[in-house]
Amino acid sequence: MKKIMIVFGTRPDAIKMIPLYLELKKYNQFDVKLCSTGQHKEMLEQVLEMFQVQVDYDLQVMQPNQTLENLTSNIIQKMRDVLQIEKSDIVLVHGDTATGFATALAAFYQKIKVGHVEAGLRSFDKYSPFPEEMNRVLISDLADYHFAPTKQNVQNLLNEGIRKENIAQTGNTVIDVIQYTVKENYQFEEEKLQQIDYENHRVILVTAHRRENIGIGLENICDALNQITQQYSDVKIVYPVHLNPKVREIVFKKLEGNSNIILVNPLGVKDLHNLVNKCYLVATDSGGIQEEAPALGKPVLVLRKETERPEAIEAGTVKLVGNETENIVKEIKLLMDNPAEYEKMAKAVNPYGDGKASHYIAEFLLKKLEIE
Ligand code: UD1
Ligand code: UDP
């Protein structure tokens, strides 16, 4: 049996790694362990609860208002202890978070192989998204095997000199998840979502949490949302607010008094996916939501200046709108007022695979871990 350690720490890592954990568990050639760094706490618990899985290790590193330096060094230290006990054959990390990067480095120090899930995404801007772009570049250097969602992600890795035989194009494991979460007659768990009259309102789902937006960018975004509700009486904006205190301070200060803006705590994954399915459009700086919403046929306005996910932009369902108030208002109005523009964007596009990404990763590992 080959010993595989799957590591995650944030909400998106968990959503995208647990399907892989469940798949690998089906193979009797693998002894699979699950480790959470605990970079997130409540937002991670929600995901674990939905999938009904328990971790083998929880490093509990989260601190309120944590700094990147503390977070990264704590994870490296604590992962070392776990890896020394487990002596895994391979450690699988995800994406671009501090958890992914610090874990890959800790595994390298123990001379343990690293597999990188969601590899090859690039914005080509060192400081945006910050620090995620550099995290994923550094993980690519540390990793032995690279699981890239799309052809373009594969090409980015090849361009950096990574050998073809160590890359697999698998699709994104998030597509494995949405096919099970979205239901036509879904009942929301969150009461505030149950109360919305979806027949007579156009719902705009907003999320914004990225470090580079915190400050003036997030204030601009909130100003734009207030302007939109002043201009359209049939609009309800739903904003599930990330638990980062820096995000909450700005968002609640700017939006709390507006009765057409529904501020909710982070939603369970099922609620979130079904809200995407029911809404009129999405405005977000999230990475994962840029993958999910196109698959559900919803226009996405990206509240950032760049994206590492150009596939849906090329397909026309995602548009970059930045974080200036005037432009955000302009782009939302275009989709509200112009049915042709809306129809152009509201088409189901899924560049992220056939929902079997976890299976392809498992098969690749089976082959690689047996021969080497
Ligand atoms: C992290 C990732 C980012 C990802 C995001 C997903 C890094 C560097 N960034 O950013 O790529 O998009 O997660 O949401 O890895 N907090 C809680 N409870 C929680 C989660 C967070 O209270 O369950 C608060 C804490 O005060 C914490 C702060 O949020 O210190 C920031 O969390 P952190 O993981 O450092 O950054 P994110 O912005 O969440
Ligand atoms: N998500 C969720 N509840 C929320 C907001 C997001 O379950 O209130 C899910 C969303 O469906 C997606 C993932 O969290 O799968 C994206 O996480 P986030 O935006 O925090 O991180 P990013 O993808 O930007 O790194």
Side-chain angles (χ1 to χ4, degrees):
M1 285 237 281
K2 293 289 177 183
K3 297 186 78 171
I4 301 180
M5 173 70 77
I6 294 187
V7 182
F8 56 74
T10 67
R11 167 173 67 191
D13 297 337
I15 293 171
K16 291 169 168 181
M17 286 301 251
I18 294 173
L20 176 59
Y21 170 70
L22 297 173
E23 179 68 20
L24 291 174
K25 292 274 278 184
K26 294 183 193 159
Y27 289 69
N28 52 22
Q29 296 94 328
F30 300 141
D31 170 12
V32 197
K33 292 273 163 67
L34 205 52
C35 174
S36 164
T37 62
Q39 176 179 337
H40 283 175
K41 201 170 163 204
E42 302 85 349
M43 287 165 55
L44 196 60
E45 279 158 14
Q46 280 183 310
V47 182
L48 293 170
E49 201 183 294
M50 185 210 50
F51 283 102
Q52 303 229 308
V53 295
Q54 277 171 356
V55 296
D56 298 289
Y57 294 93
D58 181 358
L59 308 184
Q60 299 187 355
V61 298
M62 197 199 89
Q63 288 163 12
N65 276 313
Q66 58 205 1
T67 64
L68 289 173
E69 290 80 4
N70 270 335
L71 180 59
T72 307
S73 54
N74 280 341
I75 295 170
I76 294 173
Q77 301 267 1
K78 292 191 170 184
M79 273 313 304
R80 178 199 53 198
D81 300 342
V82 173
L83 295 175
Q84 284 181 345
I85 297 168
E86 282 292 327
K87 301 197 177 3
S88 315
D89 294 298
I90 186 164
V91 173
L92 301 181
V93 300
H94 186 270
D96 53 23
T97 58
T99 287
F101 166 59
T103 301
L105 189 57
F108 166 70
Y109 287 156
Q110 297 299 314
K111 300 204 172 104
I112 294 172
K113 280 192 172 157
V114 174
H116 185 198
V117 178
E118 200 181 82
L121 281 70
R122 296 288 184 269
S123 69
F124 303 104
D125 178 345
K126 184 175 172 180
Y127 291 110
S128 188
F130 175 85
E132 289 83 5
E133 175 71 1
M134 197 41 66
N135 282 345
R136 59 193 168 217
V137 168
L138 295 169
I139 298 173
S140 293
D141 274 344
L142 293 163
D144 298 270
Y145 305 130
H146 312 259
F147 303 106
T150 69
K151 198 169 154 199
Q152 189 148 358
N153 302 147
V154 172
Q155 192 56 50
N156 289 339
L157 295 169
L158 292 172
N159 293 347
E160 290 171 16
I162 290 168
R163 281 163 48 194
K164 198 167 135 201
E165 61 271 27
N166 292 330
I167 306 173
Q169 187 186 325
T170 59
N172 195 305
T173 53
V174 81
I175 305 295
D176 304 15
V177 179
I178 48 175
Q179 56 190 339
Y180 297 108
T181 49
V182 176
K183 301 267 179 292
E184 260 333 297
N185 294 319
Y186 180 78
Q187 292 289 321
F188 288 105
E189 282 171 24
E190 166 63 55
E191 228 180 287
K192 289 181 185 165
L193 298 186
Q194 291 168 7
Q195 286 162 3
I196 297 172
D197 174 4
Y198 294 90
E199 298 294 312
N200 296 306
H201 287 93
R202 288 186 285 181
V203 172
I204 302 179
L205 166 65
V206 176
T207 79
H209 70 272
R210 305 219 80 83
R211 276 181 167 74
E212 63 276 11
N213 266 338
I214 293 173
I216 185 76
L218 193 51
E219 291 188 16
N220 292 342
I221 291 167
C222 292
D223 289 340
L225 301 179
N226 278 326
Q227 287 189 27
I228 290 296
T229 56
Q230 278 158 16
Q231 295 182 37
Y232 296 90
S233 57
D234 69 330
V235 161
K236 292 275 179 208
I237 293 178
V238 179
Y239 187 160
V241 191
H242 192 291
L243 294 182
N244 187 339
K246 295 194 179 80
V247 172
R248 293 179 83 79
E249 195 190 320
I250 297 171
V251 172
F252 280 90
K253 188 182 80 201
K254 286 271 183 188
L255 304 179
E256 206 172 14
N258 186 333
S259 60
N260 290 317
I261 300 186
I262 302 160
L263 301 178
V264 287
N265 281 328
L267 295 171
V269 190
K270 282 188 186 162
D271 269 11
L272 195 285
H273 286 180
N274 283 282
L275 185 60
V276 171
N277 197 36
K278 264 187 161 356
C279 77
Y280 183 76
L281 69 89
V282 177
T284 187
D285 69 3
S286 161
I289 297 175
Q290 285 179 62
E291 294 154 345
E292 296 159 352
L296 294 167
K298 299 301 165 154
V300 183
L301 301 178
V302 177
L303 304 167
R304 292 164 54 177
K305 297 187 181 105
E306 44 56 38
T307 181
E308 58 291 272
R309 292 167 169 89
E311 297 84 2
I313 292 198
E314 279 154 26
T317 175
V318 164
K319 202 189 247 184
L320 282 181
V321 301
N323 61 13
E324 303 287 345
T325 307
E326 202 182 325
N327 199 49
I328 298 168
V329 171
K330 186 182 109 205
E331 294 290 347
I332 294 179
K333 281 172 69 73
L334 187 65
L335 291 175
M336 299 296 288
D337 298 341
N338 188 328
E341 282 298 321
Y342 184 83
E343 284 312 317
K344 236 169 42 191
M345 286 189 80
K347 52 189 176 194
V349 168
N350 166 21
Y352 300 108
D354 59 6
K356 294 187 194 146
S358 302
H359 179 68
Y360 300 135
I361 295 170
E363 289 294 314
F364 183 94
L365 285 173
L366 196 59
K367 223 168 59 191
K368 282 286 180 184
L369 294 179
E370 269 180 8
I371 25 178
E372 286 178 17

